[in-house]
Amino acid sequence: MKLIDSYVYLDRLKELIYSLLEQRDLIKEEGKELFPLRISTPLVNYGFVSMLKGGVIMDVTNERQAEIAEDAGAVGVMVLDKLPYDVRKAGGVARTADASIIKRVMDSITIPVSAKCRIAHEWEARILEELGVDLIDESEVLTPADESAHIDKWKFRTPFVNGARNLPEALRRIEEGAAMIRTKGEPGTGNVAEAVKHIKLVNRDISILRGYAQAGDFEAILSYSRQNQVNYELALLTAKLGRLPVVNFAAGGIATPADAALMMWLGADGIFVGSGIFKSADPENRARAIVIATTHWDDPEAVAEAQSMVSERGALEGIDLKQLRPEELMQVRGV
């Protein structure tokens, strides 16, 4: 697809999303039941998250930040009690956001609203589904409810996104029902290094599986699935597709337009960013600039223009990952 065609395609998708949201608001105003739209299927869930491709989902903690995200052109927001940077500073137990805050954010904007639940905390997820969020993030940013298990996501109507550091982790989450993968970085650090490492690990294994498939070596794919404790059919599908069978957004440490363009260049379908925007000195400008850089990542002139909209002096102060103690790392939760 040519660059100009991709822009037209994204514009049409954006128009479709806004048209559907306008219809939803109209139905609400008329007091009609929204039940038919709430009956989702895996196909609907995968279709919904695919419509977010090429966009930015921003972590927010209140209506004002959500409005900034929408005005900047984000395709969605992720509500949480504290931004990852503040979760790291506050310590203690981090749980899902207040229901009242989630509702206020849902009422304040028209783009899709997601929210985070703790890993394996089925009832936080059920509450989020009941509140009507568009996407649930079973997130390592919050304190895990179970160190050795994840939610069976097939039992839910609402699509889930899960984090992964490599291809086996991603395929295990997809087998559990995740409709989107979020390649992990180290959240709240302003340091994109871990996000880069992990998307490269995913790409490396996909390339290996792709090579096996092209050579007709299905025994090697079977061996890979057994060694990494992943479903053979999913490994085979990934090998044939040459990519993950679901949408993959990058996250963790993205703080500048250049970071966003880098992650898209490495193969991400979109990005998550939060602390990098709302812990900066220039959130409105930075939000717009990161959206531009994500959408036009393969146009150096556009990315340079986006980068010129912000100053390094206003960026989130980064954290040297080598200074973090092992127990302070969030990316290792929920493997």
Side-chain angles (χ1 to χ4, degrees):
M1 180 181 289
K2 296 179 181 177
L3 181 61
I4 186 67
D5 292 336
S6 69
Y7 292 163
V8 171
Y9 178 68
L10 287 172
D11 284 342
R12 288 179 178 172
L13 272 180
K14 187 176 179 181
E15 289 174 6
L16 176 60
I17 291 171
Y18 276 95
S19 175
L20 289 172
L21 292 170
E22 286 173 2
Q23 288 297 317
R24 181 191 67 177
D25 292 341
L26 185 61
I27 291 171
K28 278 184 176 179
E29 290 174 4
E30 293 175 349
K32 295 181 180 177
E33 177 61 74
L34 283 169
F35 186 66
L37 297 177
R38 297 281 302 280
I39 299 177
S40 58
T41 65
L43 185 60
V44 171
N45 288 344
Y46 294 133
F48 164 67
V49 296
S50 294
M51 292 172 68
L52 305 177
K53 288 176 68 173
V56 180
I57 298 176
M58 297 184 189
D59 286 346
V60 302
T61 60
N62 55 52
E63 306 96 296
R64 177 57 187 147
Q65 291 177 352
E67 289 166 358
I68 290 173
E70 182 172 43
D71 291 344
V75 295
V77 298
M78 176 72 68
V79 185
L80 64 169
D81 181 50
K82 302 180 186 69
L83 294 171
Y85 181 86
D86 292 325
V87 170
R88 189 175 295 285
K89 294 290 184 183
V93 176
R95 310 181 183 90
T96 196
D98 290 355
S100 59
I101 293 176
I102 295 171
K103 288 179 180 177
R104 291 205 301 270
V105 169
M106 291 172 68
D107 289 339
S108 67
I109 58 174
T110 59
I111 56 178
V113 175
S114 316
K116 292 181 184 292
C117 71
R118 281 178 274 179
I119 290 174
H121 203 309
E122 180 149 342
W123 275 94
E124 282 188 345
R126 289 192 178 280
I127 290 168
L128 294 178
E129 181 169 74
E130 186 61 27
L131 292 174
V133 302
D134 298 289
L135 179 70
I136 298 171
D137 185 357
E138 189 181 10
S139 177
E140 70 279 358
V141 171
L142 308 183
T143 310
D146 188 325
E147 301 283 356
S148 59
H150 283 75
I151 294 170
D152 176 4
K153 292 161 273 286
W154 294 112
K155 295 189 295 186
F156 289 77
R157 301 187 307 272
T158 306
F160 274 71
V161 55
N162 275 90
R165 294 182 299 168
N166 50 50
L167 184 60
E169 284 184 20
L171 295 183
R172 285 195 285 273
R173 300 294 84 78
I174 294 169
E175 185 178 6
E176 293 163 358
M180 175 192 280
I181 291 299
R182 174 175 41 71
T183 311
K184 289 180 180 178
E186 189 57 40
T189 62
N191 188 334
V192 77
E194 291 299 287
V196 169
K197 180 173 75 176
H198 295 148
I199 198 168
K200 283 188 172 181
L201 287 174
V202 171
N203 291 342
R204 183 201 65 182
D205 277 21
I206 290 175
S207 179
I208 291 171
L209 287 177
R210 181 70 167 165
Y212 292 154
Q214 289 176 333
D217 191 352
F218 298 107
E219 284 294 326
I221 298 173
L222 179 60
S223 176
Y224 177 93
S225 66
R226 286 174 173 168
Q227 289 174 5
N228 293 285
Q229 298 179 309
V230 300
N231 180 283
Y232 169 70
E233 296 297 334
L234 269 178
L236 180 61
L237 178 60
T238 303
K240 290 181 176 179
L241 292 173
R243 57 156 294 142
L244 281 174
V246 302
V247 173
N248 179 24
F249 274 40
I254 297 168
T256 70
D259 288 346
L262 173 65
M263 299 313 300
M264 296 297 286
W265 178 69
L266 288 171
D269 293 312
I271 67 164
F272 285 91
V273 62
S275 303
I277 291 175
F278 295 109
K279 301 305 293 186
S280 73
D282 52 358
E284 290 89 353
N285 277 346
R286 195 166 293 268
R288 286 196 296 272
I290 287 179
V291 168
I292 291 171
T294 303
T295 304
H296 305 294
W297 64 269
D298 51 355
D299 180 350
E301 184 178 351
V303 176
E305 183 179 343
Q307 189 72 15
S308 68
M309 293 169 61
V310 298
S311 167
E312 175 59 21
R313 293 179 180 177
L316 165 70
E317 184 178 353
I319 297 175
D320 184 353
L321 296 170
K322 294 178 182 176
Q323 294 180 355
L324 295 176
R325 298 189 300 273
E327 61 270 24
E328 294 178 311
L329 296 175
M330 296 178 177
Q331 60 178 279
V332 299
R333 297 169 172 172
V335 298

